[in-house]
Amino acid sequence: LAIAGSSTSYGGFVAKFSSGGSTVWNKTWGNTTVGGDVSSMKTTSDNGYIITGTTNDFGGGNDAYIAKLATDGSLTWSKTWGGAGSDSGISVAAAGDGGYVIGGNTASFGTGGDTFIAKFSGAGALSWDRVWGGASSDSLFGIAVDSDQNVLIQGQGYSFGRGGDKGAFVAKFDS
């Protein structure tokens, strides 16, 4: 069992527990001043972990990040995504080619309140990214990859609601 999240004491964390409930390992990063959180975590095909969240540890405001952890919790690689505005990683999914996709929200690109998706190789190289949304504020809540490697996102926003109301959206992108 592994859990991830954030704490007011030290920022982001990932912890692994034995079947008896004992701590096997725990990893933390960031701090309450600099920040860092984990919004989403999945187990990888090699029994490691892939995580996404938000950090401002690297300057330039909040950025989304993706990190690959080995089975023992050691960092294999990490990357950030973002610009001058506030950007946050919300959800992560494995792609069938050994890579990963993250989805989140961006104030750096688009209309300043859009969603983004970014595809990374298994080694952490950015393969492609897309910004999506309408004229108003939109927020991503989840991301998935289907059997044809298409990326699916879901969320809510004001761009697609009826009469200016907030509405839900689902979108599909070719890989």
Side-chain angles (χ1 to χ4, degrees):
L1 171 69
I3 61 171
S6 61
S7 164
T8 57
S9 301
Y10 45 75
F13 74 89
V14 177
K16 185 173 182 174
F17 298 91
S18 70
S19 60
S22 299
T23 302
V24 176
W25 52 259
N26 66 62
K27 305 293 179 185
T28 62
W29 58 92
N31 59 53
T32 57
T33 303
V34 177
D37 67 40
V38 180
S39 300
S40 180
M41 176 179 72
K42 301 284 190 296
T43 303
T44 57
S45 61
D46 63 357
N47 293 316
Y49 302 93
I50 193 74
I51 59 176
T52 193
T54 306
T55 183
N56 61 11
D57 287 348
F58 304 102
N62 286 341
D63 287 320
Y65 73 89
I66 181 173
K68 171 73 170 77
L69 305 178
T71 303
D72 66 359
S74 61
L75 180 66
T76 304
W77 54 261
S78 68
K79 303 292 180 182
T80 60
W81 185 96
S86 183
D87 308 299
S88 56
I90 301 297
S91 188
V92 64
D97 63 359
Y100 306 98
V101 292
I102 62 171
N105 303 310
T106 179
S108 297
F109 307 103
T111 63
D114 286 329
T115 65
F116 78 89
I117 55 176
K119 169 80 167 45
F120 293 85
S121 71
L126 178 65
S127 301
W128 53 262
D129 57 6
R130 306 281 184 277
V131 174
W132 184 83
S136 296
S137 178
D138 303 301
S139 298
L140 182 137
F141 292 159
I143 195 165
V145 178
D146 70 15
S147 61
D148 293 326
Q149 300 309 301
N150 298 304
V151 178
L152 304 136
I153 63 170
Q154 58 92 15
Q156 69 179 16
Y158 291 97
S159 295
F160 308 104
R162 189 175 56 204
D165 291 336
K166 188 181 285 187
F169 65 80
V170 175
K172 178 179 174 180
F173 298 86
D174 295 337
S175 58

